[in-house]
Amino acid sequence: MRPPMKPLKSLDEALAELLGHATPLEGAGTVSTFDADGRVLAQDCTSVLHVPPLDNSFMDGYAVRCADVAAAGVELPVSQRIAAGSAGEPLQPGTAARIFTGAPVPAGADAVLMQEDCEVLEDGRVRIHAVPRPGQWIRRAGEDITRGAVVLQAGTRLTPAELGLAASIGMHQLQVARRPRVALFSTGDELVMPGDVPPQQMRPGAIYNSNRFFLRAMLLRLGCEVADFGIVPDRRDATIEALRAASSGHDLILTSGGVSVGEEDHIKPAVQALGTLDLWQIAMKPGKPFAYGQIPRENGSAHFMGLPGNPVSSFLTFALLVRPFVLRLQGVRDAAPQSMAVRADFTWPKADRRREFLRVRHNAMGGLDLFGHQGSGVLTSVAWGDGVVDNPAGQTIAPGDTVRFIAFSELLS
Ligand code: AMP
Ligand code: MG
């Protein structure tokens, strides 16, 4: 009789354990704010000024004292002209100031009238056809950012809007986390690099290495430097040699394939020969054979992550486990993808013992359609879908059920 199987580690437990190993990398550096998109801030950014710095006009028009415009039809002389970039004089009572968008509102004025509500008379005075509300069309000093505010926190992954925000408080350079150095290789005697052999000349049993392309692209999107160690044959000695070479100078070794239980799967024993295997097999579908370990090198050790070879398994284990890990290495605090409640417009009649990730796509009715072939080798399902349903173990799905949806935009950026 076979001994009872140990229950597999849950995805949440595995992720918590991985993040526990992901000590943020040392060696932050300075980059131009122009070049900081996608990088992770290694400093708090505190504003030493108000943004905007002064009360200023929202409109092209006239700045007035409301007390001078008690009724529509009032006519006022124009005492000054204030364009953006200049500072005017205090507004003399009983006059209006010609003002333009972004120009500071002069002291004494308490409202701006848009020029569409004003009529310039022959003699240069202005007739005002509306009664202003106090504060109207004035952008207040500090309404975006107040002096002393922490505008961006260390650990923030910068996006275009945040570059603009940093620039708005005068920061032309930013301290960012060092890029993780990742060594990538694929295992499998069947693998051929596209370009090395044309499709008509592929030997029987050979397939193209597709994982390398999306894994490399996803790593680059996450701010990593990627060193490509090519394809490693299905031999123990070659696998050990490749892991040893890849550990030097890299923070993380990422492999695909060879991590299951077959005789041709050499990753696990090779990692154990060189270092430690801390985690292997997770209760998720696809993606069960995922592995994590550490391999000693000159100074300290390199993290090791082994992804299953099947392309969809590789893709999803990357998205759900490697992605948060490499973000944490850069100091990101919360890298968990957001899921949302969406209506399923499909049937999933057979529950699985593992938590499943089903490739789906939004339809025009706001519900989700299921890709017809959920096989872990069918990469088309990922290209077709716009996300996955995160389906709990033991759960069937009927049309109309509410399911948890994770968008690929959450997993790929
Ligand atoms: P393995 O995890 O090595 O047992 O591989 C599982 C399946 O994924 C096999 O059908 C392999 O041929 C396929 N596979 C492994 N690596 C790759 C790769 N880099 N690109 C495409 N398919 C792969
Ligand atoms: Mg293999």
Side-chain angles (χ1 to χ4, degrees):
M1 216 174 76
R2 283 201 327 188
M5 284 213 299
K6 227 173 81 195
L8 298 178
K9 197 155 268 184
S10 76
L11 178 58
D12 290 340
E13 282 173 305
L15 183 59
E17 197 176 312
L18 286 179
L19 294 179
H21 289 294
T23 312
L25 301 172
E26 289 182 2
T30 303
V31 296
S32 160
T33 303
F34 277 123
D35 300 325
D37 186 29
R39 302 297 295 273
V40 179
L41 260 184
Q43 62 171 136
D44 286 343
C45 296
T46 305
S47 183
V48 296
L49 37 72
H50 281 329
V51 179
L54 298 170
D55 288 357
N56 68 93
S57 179
F58 217 130
M59 289 287 167
D60 292 333
Y62 294 86
V64 298
R65 293 170 190 267
C66 288
D68 293 333
V69 192
V74 165
E75 295 170 4
L76 297 174
V78 177
S79 53
Q80 59 179 322
R81 183 177 186 280
I82 313 168
S86 61
E89 301 291 325
L91 184 67
Q92 293 158 31
T95 74
R98 178 70 170 125
I99 197 164
F100 299 91
T101 303
V105 173
D110 57 5
V112 169
L113 288 139
M114 49 177 158
Q115 63 191 25
E116 290 81 346
D117 288 333
C118 304
E119 181 187 350
V120 181
L121 305 176
E122 296 264 301
D123 61 6
R125 286 179 311 144
V126 64
R127 181 179 298 143
I128 296 170
H129 292 294
V131 178
R133 241 180 333 98
Q136 157 183 308
W137 299 126
I138 296 175
R139 294 191 282 220
R140 292 297 172 192
E143 75 173 20
D144 186 359
I145 297 165
T146 51
R147 188 182 304 117
V150 177
V151 174
L152 295 166
Q153 284 188 317
T156 301
R157 210 162 152 228
L158 296 165
T159 64
E162 282 143 351
L163 303 189
L165 208 56
S168 77
I169 61 168
M171 301 193 69
H172 73 296
Q173 292 184 322
L174 296 169
Q175 286 278 319
V176 295
R178 174 164 79 68
R179 292 182 183 279
R181 300 185 190 112
V182 183
L184 178 63
F185 67 81
S186 326
T187 71
D189 288 341
E190 72 279 30
L191 299 179
V192 169
M193 278 304 284
D196 286 355
V197 180
Q200 308 78 2
Q201 288 166 27
M202 289 283 273
R203 62 177 196 278
I207 61 166
Y208 285 119
N209 184 350
S210 50
N211 295 358
R212 186 141 146 211
F213 287 80
F214 62 72
L215 293 176
R216 181 176 181 279
M218 292 199 281
L219 286 166
L220 293 177
R221 282 190 178 199
L222 293 170
C224 299
E225 283 171 7
V226 182
D228 200 327
F229 281 68
I231 296 168
V232 173
D234 286 321
R235 289 196 329 263
R236 181 79 48 94
D237 58 343
T239 309
I240 290 178
E241 209 24 68
L243 286 171
R244 199 198 313 273
S247 66
S248 170
H250 295 103
D251 304 302
L252 169 65
I253 305 167
L254 186 66
T255 68
S256 80
V259 76
S260 299
V261 288
E263 287 131 55
E264 299 288 350
D265 293 320
H266 299 291
I267 285 281
K268 198 177 155 237
V271 171
Q272 284 166 324
L274 289 173
T276 57
L277 191 85
D278 303 295
L279 182 76
W280 182 56
Q281 293 196 324
I282 299 179
M284 63 184 284
K285 187 179 178 184
K288 176 177 154 191
F290 176 89
Y292 170 83
Q294 294 187 2
I295 295 177
R297 51 155 199 228
E298 326 78 76
N299 46 354
S301 58
H303 300 283
F304 161 80
M305 287 178 149
L307 309 183
N310 275 307
V312 181
S313 313
S314 237
F315 187 94
L316 287 174
T317 48
F318 185 99
L320 295 165
L321 294 159
V322 182
R323 176 183 178 277
F325 186 86
V326 301
L327 290 176
R328 178 61 64 87
L329 286 181
Q330 296 172 79
V332 174
R333 269 183 290 259
D334 184 13
Q338 282 287 325
S339 68
M340 59 177 124
V342 186
R343 186 190 69 244
D345 287 345
F346 62 85
T347 304
W348 187 246
K350 208 167 150 287
D352 197 274
R353 282 166 43 194
R354 284 178 273 157
R355 179 169 166 186
E356 280 186 284
F357 293 90
L358 308 171
R359 274 75 66 212
V360 295
R361 175 159 101 179
H362 274 91
N363 59 37
M365 285 80 70
L368 295 172
D369 292 335
L370 181 74
F371 190 74
H373 194 330
Q374 292 286 323
S376 62
V378 181
L379 196 52
T380 307
S381 66
V382 181
W384 177 91
D386 62 3
V388 286
V389 166
D390 178 355
N391 194 40
Q395 184 78 53
T396 58
I397 299 171
D401 284 356
T402 298
V403 293
R404 297 309 302 181
F405 171 79
I406 308 173
F408 283 145
S409 57
E410 283 286 314
L411 294 171
L412 296 181
S413 57

